[in-house]
Amino acid sequence: MSAAQSLSTLARFRTPEQVRARWAWYAGRGILYALAALGAILFMGPFLFAISGSLKSAAEMHVFPPPLLPAQPAFGNYARLFDIPGVYFAKWYLNSIIITCASVLGTVVSACAAAYGFSRFRWRLRDFFFIVLLSTLVLPEEVVIIPKFLMFHYVPQALFGHTWIDTWWPLIVPSWFGGGAFSVFLMRQFFLQIPRDLDEAAIIDGANSWQILRHILLPLAQPALATVAIFSFLTHWNDFFHPLIYLSTVESFPLSVGLRWFQQAANDPSEPRDHLLMAASMLMVLPCVLIFFTMQRYFVRGIVMSGIKG
Amino acid sequence: MPTVTRRRFVIGICLAAAIPVLQACRQAPPPAAQPATSTTPQATAVSGTTGASSTASAATAAPVVSTGVELQVATRGGTDGDIMENSVVTFLAQTGIKFKHVSYGPEPDYWSKVQALHATGQVADVVWASTGNLHNFANRGILAELDSLIVADKYDLSDYVPAGLQSMSLNGKLYGMPWGGHPGNGGLLYNVDLLNAAGFNVTEDPDSLQNWTYDTLRDAATKTTTTKDGRADVFGYSPGTDFLSLNNVLGAYGARFMTPDGKNLAMDTPEFMAAMSWVRDIFMSKTSPAPGADATATGNTNNELFGGGRLATLQTQYAGMFTPGEKVIQGKFKWNVGLQPKGPAGKRGTALTINGMTIAASSKHKSEAWQFVKWLMEPENQVPIILAGGSRPALRTKVLNNSRLMAELKAHKVFAKALLEAEPWQMPANFRWPEFNSTVIQVFGGVWAGTQTLQQALPEAKKKLQDVIDKPAID
Amino acid sequence: MHRRGGLSPRAREEIAGWLWTSPWLLGFLLFFFGPMVASLYLSFTKYAIGGTPQVIGLDNFVRALSGKDDLFWPSMGRTVEYAFVMVPIGIGLSLLAATLLNQGLKGTAVFRTLFFLPSLTPVVAAAVIWRWLYQPDFGAINWLLWQLGVDEGPRWLTTPDLALPSLMLIALWASVGGGAMVIFLAGLQSVPRELHDAAAIDGANAWQRFRNVTLPLITPTIFFNLVIGIIAALKVFALAVLATQGGPNYATWFFNLHLYNNAFQFFEMGYASALAWIFFLLVVSLTLLNVRWSRNWVHYEGEERA
């Protein structure tokens, strides 16, 4: 017999313990798969119901037992959303996109600048302000919202002659001034991990700080930039609190407040709405899912690299 | 995924930066709503009046037309906004006074906005204000009193419903004109076919319900509820759980939440207990869909159920809103809107709720503003809007007894009578009606859910409601 | 090297550092520090927008803490109850999910995505969807119960005792598979394989390995998630506004909702500012307590990271 054949012959003679261990291992794996599947069902279940609801007719939404699948998928529901008088769905969608993109841009730009300042330079009070930065993570927005509301009302009034309340400025402007502690923190951690040799080489060549940032750090920081952009996108797309406080003209709502308005106070009280609300929710989730799918690998890598875990 | 090169990054920045800048230019103007772009039936209805007989009021008024002055009228937007957009156009054509409609957004943000703008002297000249907050604002000097304008114009108030004017007054001074009113949540939507099948003889004429009592309604609710597999298939009746809805039931039983002066609660009476128990029984007997927040993702389940023929009766507001509307029902069954039934006290618990038109105290063009408000109150300008389902009638007999409304609006005649007989608006003495309303909705939550009896919930409820009444007036 | 303007490289570095950080600094002053000082001032006044602030000393704080505002302590209690039930459960489940995903199952990437999706959902959309799921007459949850033989499913969001747990479930759904889980994953993956192998050779089974090897090494991660998680949970607001409006019978009347109502519905901005500051002090104290307590159980490998 060849070596291989004798080995396989030997393999057939397993001890009972080995067989039992094998089965235990399979069973264990099976349980794990079952758990994972259960988790997947629990997490995705509500979405599935929502999708099925979004394709039902109004009457089917109020039937018991609720049919799992609509008799005839009403794709028209999605189109109908854009057509309801008093519900400016398309406008809300566009508003969300504009506000979010402007905020994301501001966050990325100013977080980079601040992180650069915190990581690559020594200056007095740097560490003090870094602690301050971290402590703003702890700050509940509610503490400052009233004065911010008043500030956004009275200051532009004095400076420009009209209030900023009920405009998008209060939503966009703050992200251009640092973009939030989390983003700065993430970028700073990332910058810290880029070796200084490259910087020093550039300085010898006569580069100033802007050039170092632009030519050396930023190209290397793309994963972190992507991560900051994703986090920022999700934060601003989902923001409900701030537009709620600052905006009151219905056409200027982003999707978050618009959807709530559609839910509670829409123009035409007779329009059956439950199925449309499901469709609207799905449309609202869609960009988040798309962004996540395309940027997935940056996302996890970014968190790992920030060193948050330890 | 394409690589994010430096160049694409920069181009992206420029493009993305351009958009908010462009958008900002559009957003920059002071809080003015983008004009409503949807064409609605109201448009054709109101423009029909332009050619109609010239309004007597416009002729008799000697409009003080300031050249080039543009005044502002503020509403909540939505249907009210659409109406106003068309009204200002017609008004300009008839009088030459230019108004611009601005939307301050839906409630409750509407109220914050009015206050914020008042603080900076920029609030509109004519301001929509419902009884919910009108007195609060009047008390704080945000609204102008109208008596001097009325006297100077020699305007005749004789055909106005006294309760309507009283509801718009504070300390004897009038602060708003009762532009649209309804008798609290005093309407009863009913499905003729379902009721007939259950043995109740009703027709599409709301007079056929005129003699119903709350016992009849209870009976009808029970008999029209059908079950399938142990679950309700068709529901009988859905009561409201907010102040206006409950107040209607209370009034019919001869009870109220508070004393007429609004300083104390009046919840200890047996009539109060009887009325609230009636509502509780409805929820407990499962003839009603779930109350309040559960009602659906929208809070609109009741309308949707009724429109689908699965709810026999429903407490609602003024008929002119025609919820859920013929366009949903599309002739599948016969229906109409009547009044809520009479109680053991032999009367209906109607109490006025009024949408008023007021003039801001800071307005620099009060006489022009008054011309507009006056114009809005004229029957010729009211009737087409009401017929198109856009509004409720003004509290004046000329409008309430208008022959066109009587003829063309299925349920108007019973509502006109109800409005003429309704008690005036009721609220706490410190004008904190919205707070009182939201407290009412909260404190009886356990009662409707069945986890508490009325007796159990009452002490805590009374304490919380009395706290609201005891607070000082907002100033 | 050039010498521009006679500045030393050291001075240039100092200036550059300040310059680059200036947008953030400016933002901090304008949007954090300034407003915080302003809100502290306002908390000592009586102020309804449209009027002028009148200083009334400590009245707002007295009103809140003494129970004169009879929703203060209940809403505080509700919020703390919510946070202290939800966060441990949430972290435990997140850890469980992360461990599950760390087992090298086939399709882990797919599972990870599916787990993560709910956390991407805007809270508005989640509230709308879940309100419909909870609908007692037509919703999916009571339908499932009906399949299992329960004829009359409870009225989830309008029964005072059930409303809070129902909201917690929504919040758990939206957070268990989210950022916390990913952070745990990163932490788990950084546990060196050799330690596991060594323990396995010594005869430790899976549970023992987890308890004695993995767990101590991920305590920093647990700590981080705990701090962030408690702060986030205490701030709960949107869910209550969207799903239950604070009811029924104040069952979900959270502290931030109370604050919002006082500021923007009842127009008492001075009082609301006082509430905000009390809340801030609570959050800071809890965080400090957390940090202090963490010394007992958090085990850092090597030097403490910033």
Side-chain angles (χ1 to χ4, degrees):
Chain A
M1 279 199 287
S2 74
Q5 283 171 307
S6 50
L7 264 169
S8 59
T9 320
L10 273 172
R12 256 179 266 139
F13 294 101
R14 297 194 192 93
T15 67
E17 289 84 27
Q18 278 178 314
V19 173
R20 236 177 295 141
R22 205 96 190 276
W23 278 111
W25 187 83
Y26 274 129
R29 289 312 262 188
I31 293 180
L32 289 176
Y33 275 105
L35 276 177
L38 179 67
I41 293 176
L42 287 176
F43 282 117
M44 296 305 292
F47 284 128
L48 294 175
F49 279 119
I51 293 179
S52 108
S54 71
L55 294 173
K56 289 184 183 166
S57 65
E60 278 174 312
M61 294 287 281
H62 294 107
V63 167
F64 192 88
L68 271 170
L69 294 167
Q72 258 191 330
F75 291 104
N77 289 345
Y78 285 91
R80 179 89 189 105
L81 273 177
F82 294 90
D83 225 1
I84 307 175
V87 173
Y88 309 97
F89 196 75
K91 198 140 203 322
W92 291 339
Y93 218 92
L94 189 64
N95 294 347
S96 276
I97 293 177
I98 294 174
I99 297 174
T100 306
C101 286
S103 303
V104 167
L105 190 64
T107 303
V108 169
V109 167
S110 55
C112 279
Y116 189 41
F118 274 120
S119 63
R120 278 307 203 243
F121 301 91
R122 285 160 302 166
W123 43 285
R124 225 180 324 206
L125 299 179
R126 180 190 70 177
D127 293 330
F128 166 70
F129 275 117
F130 189 65
I131 305 278
V132 169
L133 173 82
L134 288 181
S135 61
T136 60
L137 278 172
V138 174
L139 179 90
E141 183 69 13
E142 295 72 16
V143 182
V144 291
I145 191 65
I146 296 171
K148 273 169 80 169
F149 177 80
L150 296 170
M151 174 176 74
F152 281 124
H153 180 61
Y154 288 112
V155 171
Q157 192 89 60
L159 288 178
F160 309 121
H162 60 83
T163 179
W164 274 8
I165 299 296
D166 205 26
T167 68
W168 291 340
W169 292 116
L171 299 172
I172 299 176
V173 167
S175 34
W176 285 80
F177 286 87
F182 190 69
S183 310
V184 178
F185 177 67
L186 214 77
M187 290 305 303
R188 176 214 186 237
Q189 300 298 94
F190 194 85
F191 282 159
L192 281 179
Q193 288 171 15
I194 300 179
R196 283 188 175 251
D197 322 342
L198 300 169
D199 287 38
E200 275 150 28
I203 291 178
I204 292 174
D205 285 346
N208 62 24
S209 59
W210 159 242
Q211 286 164 329
I212 296 178
L213 178 66
R214 183 162 167 261
H215 293 274
I216 299 179
L217 291 180
L218 282 184
L220 289 175
Q222 282 173 16
L225 286 175
T227 310
V228 166
I230 299 173
F231 268 119
S232 177
F233 181 89
L234 291 173
T235 309
H236 288 282
W237 183 264
N238 297 350
D239 189 8
F240 170 69
F241 185 64
H242 293 96
L244 179 72
I245 304 279
Y246 293 124
L247 299 175
S248 57
T249 305
V250 180
E251 289 103 320
S252 73
F253 287 164
L255 212 41
S256 49
V257 188
L259 193 56
R260 172 192 180 243
W261 191 79
F262 182 29
Q263 177 194 40
Q264 291 188 332
N267 197 32
D268 188 352
S270 64
E271 176 90 35
R273 265 177 277 159
D274 285 342
H275 54 309
L276 297 175
L277 276 175
M278 293 297 126
S281 308
M282 288 293 105
L283 285 182
M284 192 180 179
V285 179
L286 194 60
C288 307
V289 172
L290 285 177
I291 296 268
F292 177 69
F293 270 116
T294 51
M295 310 281 241
Q296 221 188 116
R297 62 191 127 115
Y298 293 119
F299 200 66
V300 181
R301 212 197 306 170
I303 293 187
V304 171
M305 282 199 233
S306 69
I308 281 179
K309 60 179 168 55
Chain B
M1 151 112 190
T3 43
V4 182
T5 63
R6 220 178 12 258
R7 205 160 53 139
R8 292 188 203 170
F9 187 55
V10 172
I11 294 177
I13 290 183
C14 295
L15 282 175
I19 299 177
V21 170
L22 288 172
Q23 202 62 24
C25 297
R26 281 212 288 134
Q27 282 281 315
Q34 280 89 332
T37 48
S38 53
T39 52
T40 62
Q42 287 85 329
T44 43
V46 174
S47 48
T49 62
T50 341
S53 52
S54 61
T55 56
S57 58
T60 51
V64 179
V65 181
S66 332
T67 50
V69 167
E70 185 185 73
L71 298 93
Q72 288 189 346
V73 53
T75 70
R76 294 175 292 183
T79 331
D80 285 2
D82 293 340
I83 298 173
M84 227 19 104
E85 292 283 334
N86 296 312
S87 302
V88 299
V89 168
T90 320
F91 185 67
L92 172 63
Q94 290 182 2
T95 63
I97 305 180
K98 196 162 190 302
F99 266 87
K100 184 165 183 286
H101 167 250
V102 290
S103 164
Y104 288 169
E107 297 183 84
D109 313 307
Y110 181 81
W111 305 113
S112 320
K113 196 119 187 241
V114 172
Q115 289 172 103
L117 289 169
H118 167 79
T120 54
Q122 287 195 339
V123 69
D125 300 277
V126 175
V127 178
W128 174 92
S130 64
T131 36
N133 265 302
L134 182 139
H135 302 88
N136 163 11
F137 283 5
N139 188 44
R140 291 158 64 193
I142 297 179
L143 305 177
E145 54 93 9
L146 301 176
D147 299 302
S148 47
L149 290 164
I150 293 175
V151 165
D153 202 24
K154 300 195 184 52
Y155 186 66
D156 183 12
L157 287 175
S158 58
D159 78 320
Y160 277 79
V161 179
L165 292 176
Q166 191 185 335
S167 304
M168 297 261 103
S169 304
L170 180 63
N171 300 331
K173 300 209 186 85
L174 186 66
Y175 283 94
M177 297 305 284
W179 176 66
H182 56 85
N185 286 1
L188 186 70
L189 262 180
Y190 64 98
N191 183 323
V192 176
D193 297 341
L194 284 176
L195 286 173
N196 286 340
F200 291 84
N201 211 352
V202 295
T203 66
E204 274 177 288
D205 185 346
D207 275 334
S208 56
L209 291 171
Q210 278 302 82
N211 289 322
W212 275 29
T213 66
Y214 272 92
D215 292 329
T216 329
L217 181 55
R218 174 81 204 280
D219 205 25
T222 317
K223 293 214 175 94
T224 47
T225 307
T226 61
T227 57
K228 198 167 72 166
D229 299 328
R231 298 184 66 95
D233 189 39
V234 171
F235 294 95
Y237 173 66
S238 185
T241 56
D242 60 305
F243 178 91
L244 291 178
S245 308
L246 292 173
N247 204 28
N248 190 277
V249 185
L250 290 175
Y253 274 74
R256 284 293 181 207
F257 274 111
M258 33 187 164
T259 53
D261 64 1
K263 294 209 171 97
N264 286 301
L265 293 175
M267 290 161 61
D268 289 316
T269 61
E271 291 87 6
F272 182 86
M273 303 295 286
M276 297 291 269
S277 302
W278 185 91
V279 181
R280 184 169 193 268
D281 286 343
I282 294 280
F283 284 120
M284 292 297 105
S285 67
K286 314 287 194 233
T287 74
S288 159
D294 264 343
T296 191
T298 62
N300 200 32
T301 302
N302 295 323
N303 282 331
E304 301 198 21
L305 284 174
F306 186 88
R310 315 255 319 282
L311 177 63
T313 59
L314 169 60
Q315 182 171 23
T316 181
Q317 294 192 339
Y318 170 68
M321 305 310 289
F322 275 112
T323 56
E326 190 54 46
K327 71 174 182 193
V328 170
I329 298 177
Q330 290 164 350
K332 288 197 293 265
F333 53 83
K334 298 211 279 288
W335 63 281
N336 202 354
V337 185
L339 291 175
Q340 288 271 316
K342 299 187 208 175
K347 61 179 182 127
R348 294 178 214 280
T350 47
L352 287 177
T353 306
I354 305 191
N355 293 312
M357 280 297 161
T358 70
I359 299 179
S362 58
S363 168
K364 301 186 180 49
H365 308 281
K366 290 202 180 67
S367 44
E368 284 89 336
W370 167 245
Q371 296 306 318
F372 186 51
V373 170
K374 210 171 59 166
W375 182 90
L376 286 170
M377 302 298 296
E378 286 305 311
E380 303 88 66
N381 302 321
Q382 289 246 334
V383 169
I385 300 174
I386 300 170
L387 283 176
S391 179
R392 304 135 211 101
L395 269 291
R396 39 187 321 198
T397 49
K398 265 197 236 165
V399 175
L400 290 176
N401 293 332
N402 179 279
S403 49
R404 264 190 84 190
L405 287 178
M406 288 287 188
E408 298 180 38
L409 217 55
K410 292 208 270 183
H412 179 81
K413 57 178 172 170
V414 294
F415 274 83
K417 195 153 169 297
L419 284 169
L420 285 167
E421 294 170 351
E423 290 181 32
W425 168 257
Q426 295 160 354
M427 63 173 174
N430 57 13
F431 319 123
R432 287 177 185 260
W433 183 83
E435 216 176 315
F436 196 86
N437 183 33
S438 60
T439 311
V440 165
I441 295 175
Q442 290 281 348
V443 296
F444 293 110
V447 176
W448 314 136
T451 55
Q452 280 181 310
T453 65
L454 195 52
Q455 279 78 359
Q456 287 169 331
L458 219 42
E460 189 58 32
K462 277 169 34 183
K463 179 170 180 302
K464 289 217 152 61
L465 289 170
Q466 188 68 46
D467 279 346
V468 174
I469 296 187
D470 287 339
K471 285 190 192 179
I474 311 170
D475 60 10
Chain C
M1 179 143 25
H2 305 287
R3 286 193 65 179
R4 245 175 300 161
L7 285 170
S8 71
R10 185 71 194 82
R12 274 215 295 273
E13 189 180 347
E14 180 93 11
I15 293 176
W18 280 96
L19 266 181
W20 281 106
T21 326
S22 60
W24 176 82
L25 269 175
L26 202 56
F28 171 71
L29 287 172
L30 278 178
F31 302 120
F32 278 105
F33 190 67
M36 280 194 69
V37 171
S39 92
L40 187 59
Y41 165 68
L42 279 180
S43 69
F44 294 113
T45 68
K46 183 163 136 79
Y47 179 52
I49 189 170
T52 45
Q54 303 165 305
V55 179
I56 53 170
L58 288 173
D59 280 5
N60 287 330
F61 292 97
V62 169
R63 178 171 153 205
L65 296 168
S66 70
K68 189 147 167 291
D69 171 11
D70 66 352
L71 281 175
F72 176 80
W73 287 113
S75 68
M76 180 77 89
R78 213 85 71 215
T79 311
V80 170
E81 187 188 333
Y82 172 86
F84 279 87
V85 170
M86 225 210 77
V87 173
I89 297 181
I91 290 191
L93 289 176
S94 286
L95 186 53
L96 184 64
T99 317
L100 197 57
L101 293 181
N102 203 30
Q103 298 301 317
L105 298 175
K106 279 221 224 341
T108 289
V110 174
F111 282 123
R112 192 180 63 210
T113 310
L114 294 180
F115 283 14
F116 196 77
L117 281 178
S119 69
L120 292 173
T121 321
V123 65
V124 185
V128 166
I129 294 175
W130 275 89
R131 260 186 96 162
W132 185 58
L133 285 176
Y134 276 132
Q135 223 281 353
D137 300 310
F138 314 108
I141 294 186
N142 277 3
W143 172 70
L144 281 171
L145 288 177
W146 183 70
Q147 298 276 53
L148 299 173
V150 179
D151 256 344
E152 282 272 350
R155 291 179 161 177
W156 296 100
L157 294 175
T158 44
T159 308
D161 291 329
L162 292 176
L164 192 54
S166 305
L167 281 195
M168 284 193 210
L169 184 60
I170 306 179
L172 282 173
W173 173 81
S175 63
V176 164
M181 182 189 82
V182 174
I183 293 177
F184 271 133
L185 253 181
L188 286 174
Q189 279 165 2
S190 71
V191 173
R193 267 221 81 82
E194 305 87 59
L195 292 176
H196 274 293
D197 295 341
I201 291 176
D202 284 346
N205 64 25
W207 168 246
Q208 285 168 328
R209 283 206 306 271
F210 182 77
R211 195 163 155 267
N212 298 317
V213 176
T214 316
L215 215 44
L217 285 175
I218 57 170
T219 45
T221 321
I222 299 181
F223 170 62
F224 177 81
N225 279 334
L226 198 62
V227 171
I228 299 291
I230 291 189
I231 295 174
L234 288 172
K235 286 161 61 163
V236 60
F237 166 78
L239 208 49
V241 167
L242 294 162
T244 57
Q245 288 94 50
N249 201 9
Y250 302 108
T252 55
W253 193 270
F254 296 119
F255 195 78
N256 275 328
L257 182 57
H258 189 55
L259 203 160
Y260 171 79
N261 277 334
N262 271 296
F264 296 101
Q265 308 264 17
F266 308 151
F267 312 128
E268 301 204 43
M269 297 211 157
Y271 182 60
S273 299
L275 289 178
W277 265 87
I278 295 177
F279 183 68
F280 177 59
L281 292 172
L282 173 74
V283 170
V284 168
S285 327
L286 275 177
T287 308
L288 287 176
L289 270 176
N290 227 337
V291 173
R292 179 56 53 88
W293 178 55
S294 78
R295 305 217 182 122
N296 295 346
W297 57 277
V298 177
H299 164 96
Y300 285 105
E301 256 328 85
E303 260 182 82
E304 200 161 344
R305 295 271 215 115

